[in-house]
Amino acid sequence: MKDVALTDGDRRVVVVAVDKGEDAVAAINEVAERYDIRGARVTAVGVFESAELGYFDREKRDYLRIPVREQAEVLSLVGDIADHEGKALLHVHAVLGRRDGTTVGGHLLYGKVWPTLEVIITEVGASLIKRVDQETGLPLLTGEIQR
């Protein structure tokens, strides 16, 4: 993985090129921790060799796994990074394009990159706070910010 931090006014923009064979989720989390990012939006494009997406089952309070066992274009990857109990927490959704032109989408649990994933992390200027919601068990944005 290669990364560089740039400035856009008073905000950092971190550009990340995730390498072949790396897990996209782990790589983005690593960069967020290294740069101490606690409030940002995330976008990316690229290709996965394989992936696992999730669909949140509200009755089970867990993700139903959606395996993608083929190469798929990352048509859209969007989400955020926020502070959850003092650590950076990545939350991203992806729409993946299959060879036949069909798509599959959901919460990105894992994505094995091949040959690259180009990620843009743009700070929003404050730390966003997530806390576990008792009803769902998920860490959700609270609307609180920390400057």
Side-chain angles (χ1 to χ4, degrees):
M1 162 179 45
K2 296 168 232 36
D3 56 82
V4 62
L6 311 168
T7 56
D8 181 14
D10 60 343
R11 296 186 177 126
R12 286 184 299 176
V13 176
V14 180
V15 179
V16 184
V18 184
D19 292 327
K20 293 179 187 115
E22 290 186 291
D23 171 26
V25 174
I28 297 168
N29 276 324
E30 179 185 323
V31 168
E33 280 298 322
R34 189 160 13 98
Y35 285 95
D36 194 31
I37 296 170
R38 297 294 187 269
R41 63 179 171 254
V42 178
T43 60
V45 294
V47 184
F48 291 146
E49 177 179 307
S50 61
E52 186 171 59
L53 303 174
Y55 176 84
F56 189 74
D57 183 320
R58 62 191 290 180
E59 290 177 15
K60 293 183 180 179
R61 291 175 47 145
D62 197 10
Y63 286 97
L64 301 175
R65 304 297 201 234
I66 304 166
V68 180
R69 295 188 177 107
E70 62 187 287
Q71 178 179 318
E73 296 279 336
V74 179
L75 304 176
S76 176
L77 186 145
V78 296
D80 61 52
I81 298 171
D83 182 279
H84 176 60
E85 299 179 349
K87 296 188 91 175
L89 180 64
L90 174 68
H91 179 205
V92 289
H93 289 192
V95 177
L96 306 180
R98 298 177 190 247
R99 175 186 294 265
D100 66 1
T102 61
T103 59
V104 60
H107 180 90
L108 182 63
L109 300 169
Y110 172 82
K112 186 175 183 182
V113 173
W114 188 94
T116 191
L117 184 70
E118 301 166 349
V119 183
I120 309 294
I121 301 170
T122 306
E123 284 188 310
V124 295
S127 291
L128 305 175
I129 309 295
K130 289 193 179 191
R131 300 202 195 289
V132 173
D133 174 69
Q134 296 305 311
E135 182 181 354
T136 64
L138 294 170
L140 303 178
L141 283 174
T142 63
E144 300 171 62
I145 60 170
Q146 185 176 1
R147 296 209 184 267

